[in-house]
Amino acid sequence: MGGLKVLEKFKSAQVHAFTNTTAATPPGTPSRAITSSSSKSKCAGGDGSASSSQSQYQSLLLPYGLPTTELLEPRIEPYLKPVDSVDSLADLYRRLVVSSPSDKSTLLMEQFSLSPCLVDPKLPRKCLSAARQHAVDVHSKVVLSSWLRFDRRDDQLAGVSPMDCRNCFLECPSAALVSGYDPNSVNDRCRCSGDTAAAAAAVVITDCHENSGGDVVFCINGETVRCVRSRIAALSPPLKAMLYGSFVESRKRRIDLSKSDISVEGMGAVEIYSRVNRVDSFSPERVLELLSFATRFCCEEMKSACDQHLASMVRRLEDAVILIDYGLEESATLLVASCVQVILRNIPSSLSNRKVLRILCGSRARERISMLGHPATFLLYYFLSQVAIEESMASNITVMLLESMLEFGVEKWQKALAAHQLGCVMLERREFKNAQSYFEAAVDSGGHVYSLAGVARAKYKQGQQYSAFRLMNSLVFEHKPVGWMYQERSLYGLGREKLMDLNTATELDPTLSFPYKFRAVKKVEERKMSDAISEINKYIGFKLSADCLELRAWLFIAMEDYDSALRDLRAMLTLEPNYMMYRRKMCASYVVELVISCGRVVQHWSLADCWIKLYERWSSVDDVGSLAILHQMLVNDPTNSLLRFRQSLLLLRLNCPKAAMSCLRLARNHAASEHERLIYEGWILYDIGHREEALSKAEKSLHIQRSFEAFFLKAYILADTNLDPLSSSHVIQLLEEALKCPSDGLRKGQALNNLGSMYVDCGKLDKAADCYTNALNIKHTRAHQGLARVYQLKNQRKAAFDEMTKLIETAYGNASAYEKRSEYCDREMAKSDLNVASQLDPLRTYPYRYRAAVLMDDQKEAEAVEELSKAIAFKPELQMLHLRAAFHESMGEIVAALKDCEAALCFDPNHLDTLDLYNRTKERAARQDEI
């Protein structure tokens, strides 16, 4: 509350420019960690003094000086962020249980909208898949199946057609055009594999021009078409009324249709259709004419036939942008759906097509697109908006799409999300008054409390800092404490209060990067460079992000530690190849060139040197260093698929799935052979949950050529199931075959480690120990963990502890090692190791669960629940929710137990242990109600 007393200071606060470059390097900064006296800087001039040369380096490498705290601010995230995610998930689950299939699809998309704040990288795709499975109308199916395809970014795979579905039913373009809900359809074979469209088109209608006379003649601009009256009348009730009812035409043999907007050829096609009931012998132009005639005269069967035929013909974007106008004009459901599908499956490139933008964002776009109905219209613009935000957040296209999304939103969460995202876009565009209006609309329409942070930020940007402070201050006191509230309030506070808020934000939610960055830059301003590096290391140690790597590289450049700076720059470019540094003012790849040329860093390594250094980094469990070496190797050989594959493996280990998949797709595109391409495609399929298809790719690759990676992939997929003894034996055989094939020590070390794990599961401890020892002999340091497990199973607890200590000594700061060692020591030592693990990586959940279990054993029930609640607040996760539910149930807190079970079941509705606990708790609640 002390911040409320500094009104006068608020009035004078302003945003300053970057620090002057002349003050960029404080006196007494440490020298580079590694120097190369034999190489001269290309930027040095003549025989000038060392200090003069250094000044030149600094002016080139730090053109904008050092970062300052006054220019730092956290991003308002463009997604829904509930104050209590457990409450929101539990409520969502209760509604899902009683919903119809169509409502279930909408509810699953509501869960999808919450997934970015739930720290589960697999949840968004699970929600999309489930929403597609439960969708009923074709337009919703088309949008969701296209979204699933975009999610795995098949557009980045060379040689893959936009209409290819990889034999996945939920992504099949043909299946999406079938209306209705079938709960078993998800297990069906993809319709593309048995496509009958070509066969149907090949059928020749032999009698299409055989007219055996007629009793009525239709005249069109002086030309005539002879028809059978009864057949034409049978096409629709209006035609029957005209030809047999009380209309004058019923008594005429010649009827003039010159004003009916149909040609003689079109009427001839109508006559042929009246006899054969097919349209596949006609040209597209003629079928369009039939469609118009059918709409005018309510010929439903003819319209359906035309609709289906035209829909089957839409395969290219050029076809779609032409035919969609006809479909919208004639309300042809399948034709419109097929055109929309082609447009969406060509995302993101189709958003650069002017004709597509006219269809989606033109003056009449919303009126015409509304024929899709709800929820499809909202889903369409929801999908398009997220793509546009990813491509260019501040673009006019993004604004138009979000405005349409807002207009078509019906549910509260839909309107809140659209308005909130528009607010974020307006902040990016520096339209602060509009941003405030949209954020306020998000609060009003959906009660989205997080949007109030956007309101405060917009006010701050308009010079209303005290008003922003008061708003965030009221949030802190009115709601359950959440990290982002304190983080946002810190922007508007001063001095000690600002740092206190940031420390509280980190305590409540250690995944927020801004407090770490602010504290680090604050240390820079205090000339404590080493402390600044230590602060930002805390975050990078458990969550790799490009912005934090940029800050650390920036600081290393200021400290003249160019080798470390170059490592971070290369790792940053691996995550985001087009990253812009220094507040988006300089391309990071250019900074790399400057550091190499001006920083006197030796980078002219041979390929053999690079492999040696990669082994060194890998064996010391330096994943960021390994990324940097791989990036350097790829600069010299950008099409090396093997190196791209290694990049993807490292990025997965560092929990960077998006960047990992991008590298894996590049590996697939640059594969030198068919069998290698199949391996990478198998990994792509496995990573998105398509195990059977991935296994098929591995087997096809082995059929072409026996290779280490093909055997390893097949073994890995088979091992990721509940194995019986026979299956385990098969996996062991596959790994043994893999080790017989040529590969490098890095991959063989991993195979030996996996083989050791399989032997442990089969009870063959001596063979497992041999595998782990062999892996360690080729510098696979993580094998210490497997060997420790063997010692533990042999009741050699001290040896297991010592083995894990070796890993800790080698892999400094590895949270996993501390966590694992805690299993091999007494309770007090275990608690100490797990506390260290939590400090190094607060996202690891086992330490919280262990400490909670210990507290529960000590009958400290409230403390046990609180321990779990600390982690659940920033990382709601199934196992922790299940454990807390069990604690609540044992304490007799039935309502709290049910709520935690419901939230947990949102992550996995089929989790047997949670379902059992949930049902048991509900029965207990029912008995209490009876009493």
Side-chain angles (χ1 to χ4, degrees):
M1 293 297 290
L4 294 171
K5 302 176 182 178
V6 290
L7 178 57
E8 294 305 315
K9 293 184 180 180
F10 276 125
K11 290 179 179 178
S12 63
Q14 60 179 357
V15 177
H16 300 284
F18 282 94
T19 53
N20 192 298
T21 55
T22 58
T25 308
T29 52
S31 61
R32 292 186 295 120
I34 302 174
T35 61
S36 175
S37 59
S38 61
S39 67
K40 295 182 178 180
S41 168
K42 296 178 184 178
C43 300
D47 298 322
S49 65
S51 60
S52 176
S53 297
Q54 188 58 44
S55 177
Q56 285 182 310
Y57 302 154
Q58 291 294 310
S59 63
L60 283 166
L61 295 172
L62 296 172
Y64 302 99
L66 290 171
T68 66
T69 53
E70 291 178 350
L71 289 173
L72 285 176
E73 61 181 44
R75 183 190 189 201
I76 301 293
E77 300 294 350
Y79 51 75
L80 298 180
K81 188 183 285 192
V83 173
D84 190 328
S85 56
V86 175
D87 278 345
S88 298
L89 289 172
D91 174 66
L92 193 57
Y93 180 78
R94 288 191 293 271
R95 287 183 284 144
L96 276 166
V97 169
V98 298
S99 62
S100 64
S102 58
D103 291 338
K104 194 180 294 287
S105 183
T106 301
L107 289 170
L108 287 163
M109 288 308 297
E110 182 178 352
Q111 184 180 356
F112 172 82
S113 72
L114 296 174
S115 59
C117 68
L118 298 178
V119 204
D120 182 350
K122 294 184 178 180
L123 185 61
R125 187 171 182 86
K126 286 169 63 177
C127 293
L128 277 178
S129 297
R132 163 62 185 88
Q133 182 183 348
H134 289 90
V136 176
D137 64 286
V138 293
H139 295 116
S140 294
K141 289 183 178 182
V142 159
V143 175
L144 293 169
S145 63
S146 301
W147 203 333
L148 281 167
R149 181 184 184 275
F150 177 78
D151 180 66
R152 66 181 190 186
R153 295 311 301 258
D154 274 10
D155 59 290
Q156 296 179 359
L157 295 179
V160 175
S161 166
M163 303 306 289
D164 184 12
C165 63
R166 305 280 200 92
N167 295 320
C168 175
F169 181 85
L170 293 179
E171 297 176 36
C172 175
S174 300
L177 295 175
V178 178
S179 182
Y181 168 68
D182 180 359
N184 299 316
S185 63
V186 70
N187 300 316
D188 292 347
R189 292 290 300 169
C190 169
R191 292 174 181 268
C192 296
S193 57
D195 196 357
T196 59
V203 175
V204 178
I205 303 174
T206 58
D207 65 340
C208 65
H209 296 294
E210 297 175 6
N211 188 343
S212 56
D215 54 359
V216 65
V217 175
F218 292 99
C219 301
I220 301 168
N221 298 325
E223 299 184 66
T224 61
V225 178
R226 185 176 294 275
C227 301
V228 177
R229 184 182 292 265
S230 61
R231 287 176 178 167
I232 298 299
L235 293 177
S236 75
L239 287 173
K240 183 177 181 180
M242 182 181 76
L243 296 174
Y244 286 106
S246 58
F247 291 95
V248 66
E249 286 85 359
S250 64
R251 297 185 294 275
K252 289 183 177 181
R253 288 183 57 82
R254 296 175 67 87
I255 299 173
D256 188 3
L257 289 182
S258 298
K259 297 182 180 180
S260 297
D261 292 332
I262 189 168
S263 67
V264 172
E265 294 79 11
M267 195 61 210
V270 171
E271 191 280 325
I272 294 169
Y273 176 83
S274 72
R275 290 185 284 112
V276 301
N277 291 321
R278 299 184 65 164
V279 299
D280 45 10
S281 66
F282 304 126
S283 66
E285 293 79 8
R286 204 63 57 228
V287 179
L288 285 170
E289 206 169 359
L290 283 177
L291 177 63
S292 179
F293 180 90
T295 302
R296 178 182 289 265
F297 291 100
C298 303
C299 306
E300 296 303 329
E301 289 186 10
M302 182 194 293
K303 181 174 181 177
S304 178
C306 294
D307 195 8
Q308 291 183 35
H309 181 69
L310 289 169
S312 69
M313 297 173 61
V314 185
R315 306 295 294 179
R316 302 178 307 151
L317 186 61
E318 294 79 2
D319 301 328
V321 295
I322 293 171
L323 291 174
I324 193 170
D325 284 329
Y326 292 98
L328 291 170
E329 191 70 28
E330 306 297 343
S331 298
T333 301
L334 287 180
L335 177 56
V336 171
S338 187
C339 293
V340 169
Q341 179 164 250
V342 171
I343 290 171
L344 296 182
R345 293 179 80 92
N346 280 277
I347 290 285
S349 61
S350 59
L351 281 181
S352 302
N353 187 302
R354 289 185 178 181
K355 294 179 180 178
V356 170
L357 292 177
R358 175 187 61 80
I359 293 165
L360 298 171
C361 308
S363 57
R364 292 187 58 214
R366 295 178 195 172
E367 175 189 345
R368 301 177 75 200
I369 291 293
S370 64
M371 72 150 285
L372 274 63
H374 187 79
T377 45
F378 174 80
L379 287 176
L380 172 64
Y381 284 104
Y382 187 9
F383 175 28
L384 293 169
S385 299
Q386 305 321 294
V387 175
I389 287 172
E390 187 175 321
E391 293 292 307
S392 178
M393 188 169 188
S395 71
N396 291 333
I397 294 172
T398 304
V399 173
M400 289 187 288
L401 292 172
L402 281 169
E403 287 174 344
S404 296
M405 177 183 165
L406 179 60
E407 180 177 328
F408 287 117
V410 174
E411 306 289 339
K412 289 183 179 180
W413 72 267
Q414 295 172 347
K415 289 186 174 294
L417 176 60
H420 180 78
Q421 291 189 328
L422 274 166
C424 293
V425 169
M426 293 303 164
L427 274 183
E428 189 77 7
R429 291 161 64 99
R430 304 187 64 79
E431 299 177 19
F432 303 125
K433 190 171 182 179
N434 288 336
Q436 181 177 339
S437 296
Y438 280 121
F439 284 128
E440 288 172 344
V443 177
D444 294 339
S445 60
H448 187 223
V449 176
Y450 179 56
S451 292
L452 287 171
V455 174
R457 188 73 62 86
K459 287 185 173 183
Y460 172 62
K461 292 294 185 180
Q462 296 174 78
Q464 304 171 33
Q465 185 171 353
Y466 184 57
S467 178
F469 178 84
R470 288 183 60 189
L471 176 58
M472 293 311 303
N473 203 51
S474 65
L475 274 185
V476 167
F477 287 103
E478 291 172 8
H479 294 274
K480 174 183 176 181
V482 185
W484 61 260
M485 293 181 184
Y486 287 90
Q487 174 180 271
E488 190 66 25
R489 190 174 72 171
S490 73
L491 283 181
Y492 319 125
L494 295 172
R496 185 167 172 267
E497 287 84 2
K498 180 186 288 283
L499 287 174
M500 286 175 61
D501 274 351
L502 289 171
N503 292 337
T504 303
T506 299
E507 182 182 342
L508 293 171
D509 186 355
T511 66
L512 297 171
S513 64
F514 174 75
Y516 297 90
K517 291 192 289 185
F518 185 93
R519 288 188 293 262
V521 175
K522 186 71 174 175
K523 297 293 185 185
V524 172
E525 293 174 342
E526 295 169 356
R527 302 295 191 263
K528 300 176 181 177
M529 300 297 284
S530 296
D531 290 345
I533 295 290
S534 297
E535 182 63 34
I536 201 64
N537 280 347
K538 294 177 185 176
Y539 188 83
I540 293 175
F542 69 88
K543 193 172 183 180
L544 202 62
S545 67
D547 59 330
C548 289
L549 284 170
E550 177 201 3
L551 177 57
R552 193 168 72 175
W554 200 340
L555 301 183
F556 278 132
I557 291 171
M559 295 172 68
E560 303 174 45
D561 186 351
Y562 299 120
D563 293 279
S564 296
L566 197 58
R567 175 202 62 202
D568 285 351
L569 290 170
R570 292 193 181 281
M572 180 180 68
L573 285 168
T574 302
L575 294 177
E576 295 187 28
N578 300 315
Y579 192 83
M580 298 293 292
M581 290 184 64
Y582 303 143
R583 295 182 63 83
R584 305 180 190 176
K585 290 181 171 65
M586 187 178 290
C587 183
S589 57
Y590 179 63
V591 178
V592 169
E593 295 176 8
L594 286 176
V595 171
I596 293 174
S597 60
C598 299
R600 297 175 291 178
V601 180
V602 177
Q603 287 288 305
H604 303 294
W605 296 333
S606 67
L607 183 62
D609 292 333
C610 287
W611 276 107
I612 291 171
K613 291 184 179 295
L614 182 59
Y615 267 95
E616 291 173 354
R617 303 292 190 277
W618 195 285
S619 62
S620 62
V621 199
D622 178 6
D623 292 333
V624 175
S626 299
L627 275 183
I629 299 296
L630 283 169
H631 182 272
Q632 182 178 345
M633 295 167 78
L634 281 162
V635 168
N636 299 322
D637 189 5
T639 61
N640 190 314
S641 59
L642 174 64
L643 296 178
R644 292 288 182 190
F645 180 53
R646 297 301 168 80
Q647 267 189 330
S648 72
L649 296 175
L650 272 170
L651 288 165
L652 281 175
R653 181 184 294 169
L654 289 163
N655 198 26
C656 302
K658 184 177 178 180
M661 288 299 285
S662 179
C663 291
L664 197 49
R665 286 189 288 269
L666 286 172
R668 181 264 182 201
N669 290 345
H670 296 309
S673 61
E674 175 72 7
H675 78 89
E676 187 182 354
R677 180 180 62 80
L678 287 166
I679 291 166
Y680 301 141
E681 288 180 350
W683 280 113
I684 291 171
L685 288 165
Y686 173 79
D687 285 338
I688 59 174
H690 296 178
R691 288 183 175 82
E692 293 299 324
E693 294 88 344
L695 192 60
S696 175
K697 294 286 184 182
E699 289 169 347
K700 287 179 182 177
S701 180
L702 285 169
H703 183 72
I704 297 171
Q705 180 176 321
R706 291 165 54 88
S707 68
F708 172 90
E709 293 297 350
F711 279 119
F712 187 91
L713 172 60
K714 186 175 181 180
Y716 197 93
I717 296 169
L718 291 175
D720 190 22
T721 55
N722 294 323
L723 295 175
D724 55 37
L726 182 61
S727 300
S728 297
S729 177
H730 183 41
V731 173
I732 288 171
Q733 183 183 359
L734 289 169
L735 288 171
E736 288 174 341
E737 290 296 321
L739 289 165
K740 294 176 184 176
C741 298
S743 186
D744 59 80
L746 298 177
R747 293 298 284 155
K748 289 207 169 185
Q750 184 64 60
L752 284 166
N753 197 62
N754 290 10
L755 182 58
S757 179
M758 293 305 303
Y759 279 134
V760 168
D761 292 342
C762 293
K764 300 177 180 180
L765 300 183
D766 290 336
K767 285 190 174 183
D770 289 341
C771 288
Y772 291 128
T773 302
N774 290 336
L776 289 169
N777 289 338
I778 55 176
K779 305 298 183 183
H780 189 79
T781 308
R782 285 180 170 84
H784 283 298
Q785 184 169 313
L787 193 55
R789 184 184 175 199
V790 171
Y791 288 139
Q792 167 73 0
L793 292 171
K794 289 184 174 181
N795 294 319
Q796 299 175 20
R797 193 177 178 86
K798 177 66 167 58
F801 179 87
D802 292 342
E803 199 65 34
M804 287 308 302
T805 302
K806 293 177 185 177
L807 177 57
I808 288 171
E809 291 170 350
T810 305
Y812 176 75
N814 187 285
S816 174
Y818 282 98
E819 181 180 297
K820 204 67 184 175
R821 190 175 72 170
S822 70
E823 299 178 17
Y824 312 130
C825 50
D826 58 51
R827 176 183 282 195
E828 290 305 313
M829 185 66 185
K831 287 172 65 176
S832 175
D833 275 357
L834 290 174
N835 288 338
V836 173
S838 290
Q839 291 172 3
L840 294 172
D841 184 357
L843 290 175
R844 301 188 73 86
T845 60
Y846 173 76
Y848 297 97
R849 287 185 279 123
Y850 177 90
R851 288 190 291 263
V854 170
L855 288 167
M856 204 67 178
D857 288 344
D858 293 341
Q859 297 184 344
K860 297 178 180 178
E861 297 173 336
E863 291 91 335
V865 169
E866 179 59 28
E867 181 65 28
L868 291 175
S869 299
K870 283 192 298 186
I872 290 172
F874 62 85
K875 188 183 178 182
E877 183 248 8
L878 190 150
Q879 289 183 320
M880 284 196 294
L881 285 166
H882 173 85
L883 184 57
R884 192 172 72 172
F887 287 177
H888 281 310
E889 194 267 345
S890 69
M891 296 161 64
E893 298 175 355
I894 304 302
V895 174
L898 288 173
K899 184 173 71 172
D900 280 349
C901 284
E902 289 159 350
L905 290 169
C906 270
F907 290 94
D908 183 1
N910 301 313
H911 192 256
L912 294 178
D913 289 343
T914 304
L915 280 171
D916 179 63
L917 176 60
Y918 185 49
N919 291 329
R920 191 170 68 245
T921 307
K922 283 201 298 184
E923 290 172 2
R924 183 175 173 182
R927 287 196 300 270
Q928 287 182 353
D929 290 341
E930 290 175 1
I931 296 172

